[in-house]
Amino acid sequence: MADSGFALFQSRLLELLWEEDDPAAIKAALLADDDFAAFHDYVRGMEPRMIAVAGALVRKWGRAR
Amino acid sequence: MTVSVGLSVFGDARYRAAARPLFDDGRVDAIEWTVDSWLSGDGPPGEAAAWLAAYGANNALIAHGVHYPLLAAAPDFLRGEWLGKLSEDVKRHRYQGISVHFGFATGWELAEGAPLPVPRCAESTALGRDALVALHAVAGCDVGIENLALSFSAGEAASQGAFIDDLLSPLDGYLLLDLHNLYCQSVNFGIDMTDLAKTYPLQRVREMHVSGGSWSGSNGARIRRDTHDDRVPNAVFAALPALRALCPRLEFVMLEQLPEALETDAQVQGFRADYQRLREVVHGG
């Protein structure tokens, strides 16, 4: 199976949701990374208000290794 | 098919105190046990253990896992650890099936979290199918997936059902349709609840969850959240009969509420009232 960068995308998304409050900055960071080109359409569709909710969930329930 | 109405039970003393009269009155047809409560303790306390034994013997016990990393790409060791614990659990309990959450919560530096949406691609589909096969091999019973309350876009909300169907197809798994999660997606994206339900593989539904939640504000917008800490909305009760009619394999309808939301007498009475209302909606009185 071709590597679309899926694992790296998930990892980067979690990191950004944990560390970055601004949904626009999260989208911009993901769209600026060519490693995630396969997911850029998906990222463009992400609504800022839902990114904010996801960030709140990650920071509330996330536990480090 | 006869539909059993029951409770998603917890070993917590507050939960047992609130639910005990419902058991004593014979109003609980079936129960669901959250198997990975092992993360917060050594197992169910005596009273809850007795419920699990009795309902298991009566083919009325179904399992649910909150933390199984179904679609998490990186931490394969977490999946192995989880399945190792499940292998011990299934020696003690007789489940009619086990469901897990759609989504991913772990990766990067996090080993635990809340489930988030996953883009549908060849890798995520293969990952989820393999994880379900591994779950099935250990559980030894039917496996299912619960729909997620959160999506990043309306398009993702409307396509989650097809993704879940794709994951379930190889094993002919079942859908746990969480009506409050469906309600969250419905109100957050302005999609009619029944229309949204029809985008899911309703012929696969064996179980439904009914619960309450809360609202949160974000950028001036109200977002419905799946927090299991309040009364069941009228809209969820209202949608249930029509949705039930669309689910020919439905067997279990379970009320979910967190023990943390059963602190006051008003909360306990509300929980019991919601359960009675659920029985009346499903059983007709």
Side-chain angles (χ1 to χ4, degrees):
Chain A
M1 184 183 305
D3 180 6
S4 66
F6 171 65
L8 199 59
F9 174 76
Q10 272 196 344
S11 179
R12 182 67 174 140
L13 177 59
L14 267 187
E15 180 183 7
L16 287 165
L17 289 170
W18 180 269
E19 294 186 339
E20 177 59 69
D21 283 335
D22 180 6
I26 292 173
K27 288 185 70 165
L30 293 171
L31 290 171
D33 195 327
D34 290 341
D35 287 344
F36 310 140
F39 303 102
H40 280 174
D41 282 346
Y42 179 82
V43 173
R44 276 189 280 270
M46 294 167 78
E47 294 189 21
R49 64 194 179 110
M50 306 313 293
I51 296 173
V53 170
L57 286 172
V58 167
R59 288 188 290 276
K60 178 172 183 180
W61 297 107
R63 300 285 180 270
R65 294 183 199 282
Chain B
M1 180 175 284
T2 302
V3 175
S4 298
V5 179
L7 296 169
S8 176
V9 301
F10 291 85
D12 183 280
R14 293 164 296 189
Y15 189 91
R16 286 184 284 119
R20 193 172 297 126
L22 306 176
F23 282 96
D24 291 346
D25 291 349
R27 284 187 280 160
V28 182
D29 305 330
I31 61 173
E32 179 189 84
W33 177 243
T34 300
V35 290
D36 42 13
S37 56
W38 60 58
L39 293 168
S40 57
D42 296 327
E47 183 178 35
W51 291 341
L52 267 60
Y55 282 84
N58 201 32
N59 299 328
L61 170 64
I62 198 158
H64 184 56
V66 176
H67 296 288
Y68 184 60
L70 179 70
L71 291 167
D76 211 31
F77 69 94
L78 290 175
R79 195 171 290 116
E81 286 178 4
W82 197 97
L83 290 172
K85 290 173 179 170
L86 180 67
S87 70
E88 295 301 312
D89 187 293
V90 295
K91 292 174 186 171
R92 300 189 299 272
H93 302 124
R94 183 178 172 191
Y95 298 123
Q96 298 303 301
I98 179 168
S99 59
V100 294
H101 281 250
F102 176 86
F104 87 106
T106 55
W108 180 55
E109 295 182 1
L110 301 181
E112 193 179 326
L116 302 173
V118 174
R120 188 181 183 185
C121 63
E123 286 164 281
S124 59
T125 301
L127 177 71
R129 286 179 170 184
D130 288 348
L132 276 185
V133 168
L135 177 65
H136 181 259
V138 172
C141 58
D142 287 350
V143 296
I145 298 175
E146 176 180 345
N147 56 305
L148 187 60
L150 179 70
S151 290
F152 286 121
S153 67
E156 186 172 45
S159 62
Q160 187 190 105
F163 191 178
I164 290 175
D165 190 41
D166 208 10
L167 299 176
L168 292 172
S169 292
L171 287 173
D172 194 23
Y174 67 93
L175 173 63
L176 164 51
L177 186 65
D178 186 306
L179 299 193
H180 187 265
N181 288 356
L182 197 66
Y183 173 70
C184 290
Q185 302 269 28
S186 167
V187 297
N188 289 341
F189 294 108
I191 309 170
D192 176 79
M193 198 168 158
T194 303
D195 288 346
L196 184 59
K198 289 177 180 175
T199 66
Y200 284 80
L202 299 181
Q203 76 283 1
R204 295 191 181 279
V205 176
R206 286 184 64 204
E207 182 182 3
M208 287 180 177
H209 275 169
V210 173
S211 69
S214 59
W215 299 97
S216 70
S218 175
N219 297 334
R222 281 208 321 164
I223 307 286
R224 185 68 185 180
R225 301 269 300 275
D226 168 41
T227 47
H228 296 184
D229 57 358
D230 205 344
R231 302 289 299 273
V232 178
N234 287 329
V236 171
F237 279 122
L240 205 162
L243 295 179
R244 177 188 175 180
L246 296 171
C247 301
R249 292 174 58 199
L250 180 66
E251 296 174 63
F252 303 101
V253 180
M254 300 294 186
L255 178 66
E256 288 186 297
Q257 183 148 344
L258 289 177
E260 292 82 351
L262 293 169
E263 296 276 4
T264 68
D265 186 58
Q267 288 174 319
V268 169
Q269 295 308 320
F271 164 73
R272 292 172 184 161
D274 276 352
Y275 184 70
Q276 182 58 29
R277 185 175 177 188
L278 182 60
R279 285 188 65 82
E280 289 167 3
V281 169
V282 175
H283 289 323

